Amino acid sequence: MRCLRAIRLLACALVMVALLLAAPGHAQGTLQNIPRKQLLILENPEGTVKNAGWFNIWAINAGSQSNGLQQVALDTLWYIDPESGVDGVWDNSLAADKPQYNADFTEMTAKLRKGIFWSDGVEFTADDVVATVTIQIKHPGMRFSAVLASNVASVEAPDPYTVVFKLKKPNSRFHANFTVRWGAVWILPKHVFEKADDPAKFDFNKPASLGAYVLYSYDPDGKWYIWQLRDDWQRTTLARYGKPGPKYLAYIDPGPPDKRVIAQLNHELDVVHDIAPEGMFALAKQSKVTRAWFKGFPYAHPDPTLPAVIFNTQNELFKNPDVRWALALLIDIKAVSMAAYRGAATISAIGVPPTGAHPATYHQPIEEWLKGFEIDTGKRKIKPYDPTIGKQIAEMLRPLMGEQIPSDPAEIARAFGMGWWKVDPQAAQELLERAGFTKRGGAWITPDGKPFTVRVMVEGDLRPVMTRAGSMIVQLWKQAGIDARIDVAQGTLPTRRAAGDFDTFIGWSVETWGGHPDLSYFLDSWHSQFVAEPGKSQPLRNWQRWSSPVLDKIIESIRMVGFDDPKSIELGKDYIKLAVKEMPTIPLMAYNVFTAMDQTYWTGYPTSENPYTNPVPNWGNSRYMLVKLKPAG
């Protein structure tokens, strides 16, 4: 009944949004009086940037990464595109060739391109790569300090275009640190940073650019950043693919979802990073020039990320897997799918996103194991997996969406996912009781006699789909007697996430290459060597701060096999089974991004029919879109 009500609410919401959008918008004016036909306006999903003048991406200080800095001003050795790529998935960017390893993966050599220059006229050389590593190792707490210090024994430049990394331990995936999928270890300018008294406190304002664009101006209040095409753009790595179309780029905070929709209808926002499904449905209905990744339902671009309930496992309440599993068994994923995506979600019970090559590589082969998987609640054994839930979601949507919902089981699985965990309050109660919790007057009490309070951190309007998922999960946990509360961290979630200032949050610590089955992009960062002490800043991705000797062994084994070796897939399955048993995060679904692209001023955006790159504008890979864009008309 809950889901049927959600479908009716969806229909009402679409009518309300359509009425709202019928009202005239208010023109924002042309940014900096730049001719509109030369300007591409993109949403910065970070919103208003707190420390607007901070461009030192290598040090964490409330600055922005997605204001154009990582997309168009910085560069690194390699890129792997989550889609097909402009010229194949793999791109040698600052490097002239793929990484070269010795036989036991204890040494990696990178050959560099010649003729690449920083925007201030200084040539890029191996000295910049060496400085990027040594500066961050010497200054713990910088963004990539931990991963570099734990891996690199030494780094040398035998000549201006060769870098040799000697590693502390065998690691066949070390190159992944310098390979962009969303971001990477960006190369810093040695000639600039060597003049800074303290690289960790240096604001890098104005930034020297290694990309095709240079900073033109920015709002001191952090609402917009404008970048201009370099006069010498031919001396950058992007020039191999042609001249970028827009002369100027503006990355802006367009406000909450309804204002983003109105701005695009008024042709004041060319690329919306993400909006709620209703906004996308309204744009598709009212605008003849808006284009999404898919022409029709589900519209959104499926990112190779895995939204989940991420626990702070250093919090005493969540150290016990029984507690984490109990909370999982109180979640109705069908209700979460309807609340978050209005059903346009692809669910996943395992710690790998159901996108790209992963369903065939991982989800389908492990299905039989999931069906037989058992949990001991202390009183009985249960099989928590229901393989029909994806089909159930499709059937719920069919009365509303009609022929847009596939009937073929394989297509249903592709669109909506396979199975998930059953709602089982009795098993959840047994698990909590085994963990020392008690229930008094319908409310759960912790082993030390306090109310079982769980904050669920979300990003508010900056990421509406995740916020709605978190709100539904809070509601479900409250119904079970848990003092669950929503914790809106608008604009501060990345900082709090790194600091461990949360009980749980809705986000992701799983990010994969997408088209490539290797899981090292996120999995290597889950090794216990990278787990920060409580109160210290956590390096990238293992936001749950989970560590396991078994997981460490799996990761170390992956480091000993080649990037394309099939053995890494079998080791990936071992990780999946361990994560199911331990439940360090509760996987929910793929992150479907409702990126909307207005074709009034620019054409040539990437789409499912022409998937040359990811259109989502905060990705480092989105720079490839710029060389394909052409002025409309």
Side-chain angles (χ1 to χ4, degrees):
M1 289 297 294
R2 182 189 296 121
C3 293
L4 288 175
R5 286 196 297 271
I7 293 174
R8 296 190 188 104
L9 286 172
L10 169 58
C12 293
L14 292 176
V15 173
M16 293 175 67
V17 171
L19 291 173
L20 170 67
L21 298 179
H26 298 283
Q28 297 176 344
T30 303
L31 287 165
Q32 298 281 294
N33 296 317
I34 295 171
R36 191 64 176 85
K37 64 182 180 180
Q38 297 180 350
L39 175 66
L40 179 72
I41 305 176
L42 310 100
E43 177 190 350
N44 176 5
E46 294 168 320
T48 298
V49 179
K50 303 299 181 184
N51 191 353
W54 186 267
F55 294 93
N56 183 351
I57 200 170
W58 303 273
I60 302 170
N61 195 1
S64 176
Q65 296 183 72
S66 300
N67 59 349
L69 184 61
Q70 76 167 7
Q71 301 99 309
V72 300
L74 301 179
D75 207 342
T76 191
L77 303 182
W78 302 284
Y79 283 66
I80 293 182
D81 202 278
E83 300 300 334
S84 64
V86 175
D87 186 26
V89 172
W90 181 276
D91 183 35
N92 297 312
S93 192
L94 291 174
D97 202 352
K98 285 190 172 184
Q100 301 169 10
Y101 287 93
N102 63 354
D104 64 358
F105 301 107
T106 58
E107 186 174 297
M108 186 191 82
T109 299
K111 294 290 186 178
L112 305 181
R113 290 188 184 277
K114 300 177 182 179
I116 305 299
F117 286 79
W118 295 93
S119 58
D120 58 9
V122 176
E123 186 181 8
F124 159 75
T125 69
D127 288 342
D128 295 311
V129 180
V130 172
T132 299
V133 177
T134 56
I135 287 174
Q136 294 188 83
I137 289 177
K138 289 178 181 177
H139 294 83
M142 295 184 76
R143 190 177 298 274
F144 306 104
S145 296
V147 68
L148 294 173
S150 62
N151 276 285
V152 180
S154 67
V155 57
E156 300 174 349
D159 64 64
Y161 307 105
T162 303
V163 184
V164 178
F165 297 87
K166 293 186 178 179
L167 308 180
K168 291 181 177 179
K169 295 180 181 179
N171 187 356
S172 61
R173 305 298 193 278
F174 178 69
H175 67 274
N177 295 296
F178 295 89
T179 306
V180 175
R181 170 269 195 195
W182 178 82
V185 178
W186 304 103
I187 305 304
L188 59 76
K190 176 181 181 291
H191 65 284
V192 175
F193 272 76
E194 65 186 1
K195 298 175 184 177
D197 293 334
D198 185 346
K201 296 180 180 178
F202 174 49
D203 61 9
F204 194 42
N205 186 358
K206 179 178 180 178
S209 171
L210 198 54
Y213 288 79
V214 67
L215 185 67
Y216 179 73
S217 63
Y218 71 94
D219 174 24
D221 293 327
K223 292 190 176 297
W224 51 261
Y225 293 78
I226 298 178
W227 303 83
Q228 181 179 8
L229 185 65
R230 286 170 51 174
D231 292 335
D232 65 339
W233 59 269
Q234 299 96 330
R235 300 202 299 179
T236 69
T237 62
L238 195 61
R240 292 170 292 136
Y241 300 112
K243 183 180 180 179
K247 183 176 180 180
Y248 296 95
L249 309 172
Y251 289 84
I252 71 170
D253 174 11
D258 58 337
K259 290 187 177 180
R260 298 174 216 167
V261 173
I262 293 171
Q264 183 154 107
L265 285 173
N266 289 333
H267 314 302
E268 296 166 348
L269 180 59
D270 297 312
V271 182
V272 176
H273 173 268
D274 194 15
I275 47 176
E278 300 90 344
M280 186 68 249
F281 300 158
L283 277 172
K285 183 177 181 180
Q286 296 197 25
S287 174
K288 295 182 179 179
V289 291
T290 287
R291 176 60 208 262
W293 181 254
F294 293 105
K295 284 185 177 179
F297 187 88
Y299 298 105
H301 179 275
D303 277 2
T305 50
L306 186 72
V309 178
I310 296 182
F311 295 99
N312 182 348
T313 61
Q314 290 179 338
N315 183 320
E316 288 294 332
L317 291 176
F318 308 116
K319 286 184 176 180
N320 189 336
D322 285 346
V323 176
R324 303 193 295 259
W325 253 111
L327 291 171
L329 294 174
L330 294 173
I331 293 175
D332 179 351
I333 194 64
K334 292 180 288 184
V336 174
S337 172
M338 292 301 301
Y341 278 105
R342 301 301 185 245
T346 312
I347 61 172
S348 179
I350 64 174
V352 176
T355 54
H358 304 321
T361 305
Y362 296 112
H363 292 78
Q364 295 166 16
I366 214 164
E367 179 81 350
E368 287 304 311
W369 182 86
L370 289 172
K371 291 177 182 177
F373 172 70
E374 292 185 335
I375 293 176
D376 186 347
T377 69
K379 294 185 177 180
R380 59 199 171 99
K381 290 185 177 181
I382 64 166
K383 291 185 177 181
Y385 184 71
D386 183 347
T388 70
I389 291 183
K391 182 180 179 181
Q392 292 177 38
I393 294 173
E395 293 307 318
M396 285 191 326
L397 290 167
R398 199 176 302 281
L400 179 66
M401 306 302 293
E403 293 182 357
Q404 293 192 59
I405 306 301
S407 56
D408 179 72
E411 287 300 306
I412 289 174
R414 185 186 70 83
F416 301 102
M418 300 172 74
W420 212 77
W421 312 113
K422 303 170 185 175
V423 180
D424 194 336
Q426 182 59 38
Q429 177 172 328
E430 293 166 5
L431 288 167
L432 286 173
E433 289 173 345
R434 187 166 74 168
F437 289 69
T438 55
K439 204 168 190 181
R440 301 176 192 168
W444 280 104
I445 306 298
T446 64
D448 60 358
K450 298 178 182 178
F452 185 16
T453 300
V454 183
R455 295 178 301 163
V456 179
M457 185 170 68
V458 296
E459 289 187 83
D461 288 340
L462 293 179
R463 211 176 294 275
V465 169
M466 298 294 93
T467 297
R468 299 194 308 200
S471 299
M472 175 55 72
I473 290 169
V474 162
Q475 179 181 332
L476 294 167
W477 285 348
K478 278 184 175 180
Q479 291 172 357
I482 295 167
D483 181 21
R485 305 175 185 181
I486 205 73
D487 179 7
V488 179
Q490 183 117 347
T492 62
L493 188 143
T495 304
R496 291 182 57 189
R497 178 183 66 188
D501 179 18
F502 64 90
D503 296 335
T504 69
F505 78 92
I506 307 298
W508 50 81
S509 56
V510 170
E511 305 174 71
T512 65
W513 299 111
H516 195 288
D518 182 75
L519 301 181
S520 65
Y521 185 84
F522 78 94
L523 195 52
D524 195 77
S525 64
W526 282 26
H527 195 283
S528 64
Q529 69 191 106
F530 303 128
V531 176
E533 296 179 4
K536 298 290 183 66
S537 181
Q538 174 62 35
L540 291 173
R541 300 188 188 93
N542 188 2
W543 311 121
Q544 63 272 7
R545 298 174 179 234
W546 178 53
S547 61
S548 161
V550 178
L551 180 64
D552 284 352
K553 186 176 180 180
I554 292 170
I555 294 169
E556 290 160 9
S557 298
I558 290 175
R559 291 173 179 173
M560 294 298 295
V561 299
F563 189 63
D564 298 314
D565 194 319
K567 292 179 183 177
S568 66
I569 295 175
E570 296 307 311
L571 290 165
K573 293 175 183 176
D574 291 341
Y575 142 73
I576 291 170
K577 293 175 182 178
L578 175 65
V580 166
K581 295 172 184 176
E582 296 288 323
M583 197 63 76
T585 72
I586 304 175
L588 298 173
M589 61 196 82
Y591 186 57
N592 287 350
V593 184
F594 291 91
T595 297
M597 299 161 282
D598 183 17
Q599 300 175 101
T600 300
Y601 294 101
W602 300 99
T603 61
Y605 297 104
T607 64
S608 61
E609 302 98 89
N610 184 21
Y612 64 84
T613 196
N614 187 339
V616 184
N618 68 334
W619 284 58
N621 279 289
S622 66
R623 70 175 190 161
Y624 297 105
M625 177 171 69
L626 303 173
V627 299
K628 293 289 189 178
L629 294 183
K630 304 296 180 185

